[in-house]
Amino acid sequence: MKAVLLFLLPAMIFCSVSLASQDTLPPQEKRIRDLRIVPLPAVASNPANGWMFGFAPSATWYMGDPEDTRISNFVGNFLYTTKKQWIFSFRSNIFLNQNKWILVGDWRYFITSQPTFGLGSTAPNIPAENPNQAGVWWGEQQMDFSLFRFYETVLKRIGDSKFYTGVGYHFDKHSKINNYTNEAGGTNLAFSHDAYNLAKGFSTDSYVLSGFTMNLIMENRDNPTSPYERNFALLSYKVNPTWLGSDQNSSTLLFDYRHYINLSERRKRHLIAFWGYGNFLVSGNLPYMNLPSLGWDMFGRTGRAYAQGRFRGESMVYTEAEYRFPLQQNKETFGGTVFVNAASFGSRTTNEQLFTQINPGYGVGLRVMINKRNRTTISADYGIGQKGNSGFYLNVNESF
């Protein structure tokens, strides 16, 4: 399936509004500084949702003196589709005064649909019977569902170092799940979602994953919104006990590492960026839609060239490299990028080992910096993958 996501910004007008510079207050009374809100009206279209209309606002600000406090940011999506779907999300990364604490939030409410293709990295586009699971669909199957997500993590800085440690609470509820396909003979085959959940003892209509995370972060980027140099690392161990509301006990391990190599002291926007990401089921079982999946990281940036959820499994490894460069000799307004990525998924259910199949993607992108001080950037990318998969993506700030 070719997945296309197209955002058309009316008249291509981007509005950056400063609401709270608070320059008249004494330093000790300033709480929020240099608040910049970017309201982006959006029109979007893709095969799963039809046409979508709404807003994709973002904001940046400081919770202390910019000299010793990193920039905070949030990105939101408030969309309604011609298929009567609602997509609401609010994701934030907040640095408190002098970077002593970090608050990370990921809140979502979806009444939506998207295709799923089965487990592992070898799942095809066109529906057929799974050779590794007799009587089960393999390939594109449509799913309607609702999702309520509440993730919030609190991290405390370790002394004056670049390391943080903390805990988080993560809650997901998938409900009103419905599977269907237009392929002939489909009534004789079970859907990948239903077959997996029944085999693992989960409901096929609704399930809850509720757990807490133990986290270690190294935050060394010069600007978390759109970095030019240094690096970032996250190690997160998640426990989902039944006494906290999960349908079954389970645990997962996630790592995320990003590195930025500056190629010019004079033009720091000229750089190479690397990203490594892994998500693994450690113990127990996860419901189908909570398994590691492409495009389901916090900001939905993994897998440019493929649809969200195109690949899924009990284990996931993803890597990406991106060359970023300015397009103007002496100005920073316009920039470009060339990227390549690769993903692999393993599945115990289909007996597919991690790295058996690698799914690459590549593409190009345009960047428009609308706030040079905070580096707030509009990014537009076109990615191409294997087997006819491709996509156009528009986001706020860099992909990683």
Side-chain angles (χ1 to χ4, degrees):
M1 186 191 96
K2 180 178 288 187
V4 178
L5 176 62
L6 174 61
F7 276 81
L8 304 175
L9 304 182
M12 295 301 292
I13 297 175
F14 305 111
C15 179
S16 180
V17 183
S18 177
L19 295 182
S21 61
Q22 297 181 310
D23 289 335
T24 59
L25 296 178
Q28 66 272 20
E29 295 184 18
K30 295 181 182 180
R31 294 294 180 264
I32 297 178
R33 303 186 183 192
D34 197 21
L35 174 60
R36 305 272 177 172
I37 297 177
V38 183
L40 299 180
V43 179
S45 177
N46 66 37
N49 302 102
W51 286 95
M52 297 180 285
F53 305 91
F55 294 91
S58 69
T60 58
W61 70 95
Y62 293 92
M63 297 295 293
D65 189 338
E67 293 297 323
D68 59 14
T69 304
R70 294 181 182 272
I71 193 170
S72 299
N73 74 289
F74 91 86
V75 177
N77 285 289
F78 306 92
L79 303 170
Y80 180 72
T81 82
T82 54
K83 294 187 178 181
K84 299 182 180 180
Q85 301 165 339
W86 294 92
I87 300 174
F88 300 148
S89 67
F90 181 98
R91 284 157 288 188
S92 59
N93 197 29
I94 301 172
F95 291 84
L96 299 188
N97 189 37
Q98 296 182 337
N99 305 319
K100 293 180 179 179
W101 297 84
I102 305 177
L103 310 179
V104 181
D106 182 359
W107 309 345
R108 310 184 194 188
Y109 180 63
F110 293 172
I111 303 175
T112 187
S113 60
Q114 68 177 220
T116 185
F117 296 80
L119 301 178
S121 297
T122 58
N125 292 332
I126 300 174
E129 185 174 3
N130 192 332
N132 301 313
Q133 290 179 286
V136 178
W137 273 117
W138 208 33
E140 183 180 351
Q141 306 147 65
Q142 194 66 34
M143 292 182 63
D144 294 340
F145 62 93
S146 295
L147 167 65
F148 174 73
R149 168 172 291 182
F150 178 82
Y151 289 4
E152 193 67 36
T153 302
V154 180
L155 300 146
K156 177 72 170 67
R157 189 175 182 179
I158 302 175
D160 293 326
S161 73
K162 56 189 176 183
F163 292 95
Y164 294 78
T165 186
V167 297
Y169 175 66
H170 294 233
F171 178 90
D172 279 318
K173 181 175 181 179
H174 289 86
S175 60
K176 301 179 181 178
I177 300 169
N178 181 41
N179 301 267
Y180 57 92
T181 180
N182 295 325
E183 295 296 313
T187 56
N188 298 323
L189 298 176
F191 294 102
S192 297
H193 170 272
D194 293 356
Y196 171 89
N197 269 21
L198 289 173
K200 301 298 183 181
F202 293 103
S203 167
T204 60
D205 177 68
S206 177
Y207 37 81
V208 171
L209 191 69
S210 176
F212 61 90
T213 57
M214 294 168 281
N215 307 277
L216 178 65
I217 282 182
M218 179 188 69
E219 179 54 89
N220 195 35
R221 295 171 291 184
D222 62 320
N223 182 322
T225 302
S226 294
Y228 284 166
E229 55 190 343
R230 299 196 291 272
N231 50 6
F232 166 89
L234 163 66
L235 184 65
S236 180
Y237 182 67
K238 183 180 178 183
V239 179
N240 307 298
T242 54
W243 58 262
L244 202 56
S246 294
D247 290 354
Q248 294 186 28
N249 293 314
S250 63
S251 63
T252 60
L253 180 67
L254 181 147
F255 75 82
D256 186 330
Y257 181 75
R258 310 175 186 199
H259 200 97
Y260 308 88
I261 300 175
N262 193 267
L263 300 178
S264 170
E265 282 298 319
R266 189 180 72 86
R267 302 297 300 276
K268 288 187 176 293
R269 197 176 183 183
H270 194 192
L271 60 97
I272 297 177
F274 297 96
W275 185 14
Y277 181 92
N279 197 357
F280 308 93
L281 176 62
V282 176
S283 65
N285 297 309
L286 292 172
Y288 186 90
M289 290 298 287
N290 291 111
L291 290 169
S293 180
L294 203 64
W296 278 99
D297 53 293
M298 179 176 173
F299 287 97
R301 304 299 175 87
T302 53
R304 282 178 291 176
Y306 296 94
Q308 185 183 54
R310 177 60 182 85
F311 299 106
R312 189 183 308 269
E314 287 93 337
S315 56
M316 168 187 178
V317 172
Y318 178 82
T319 185
E320 184 162 348
E322 187 169 74
Y323 172 47
R324 302 173 186 171
F325 49 91
L327 290 176
Q328 297 165 287
Q329 186 172 0
N330 297 310
K331 295 183 179 180
E332 300 298 333
T333 303
F334 294 101
T337 182
V338 178
F339 63 87
V340 293
N341 58 52
S344 183
F345 289 79
S347 173
R348 304 171 188 172
T349 303
T350 59
N351 296 316
E352 182 177 335
Q353 298 297 315
L354 196 64
F355 304 119
T356 299
Q357 172 76 25
I358 305 294
N359 293 291
Y362 61 93
V364 297
L366 175 69
R367 302 292 181 264
V368 182
M369 188 176 294
I370 59 176
N371 186 312
K372 293 181 176 60
R373 178 177 178 182
N374 297 338
R375 297 185 200 166
T376 302
T377 304
I378 304 300
S379 62
D381 299 304
Y382 184 73
I384 301 172
Q386 288 185 320
K387 301 177 182 178
N389 289 277
S390 65
F392 181 78
Y393 310 87
L394 189 142
N395 290 296
V396 178
N397 298 323
E398 295 291 351
S399 294
F400 64 93

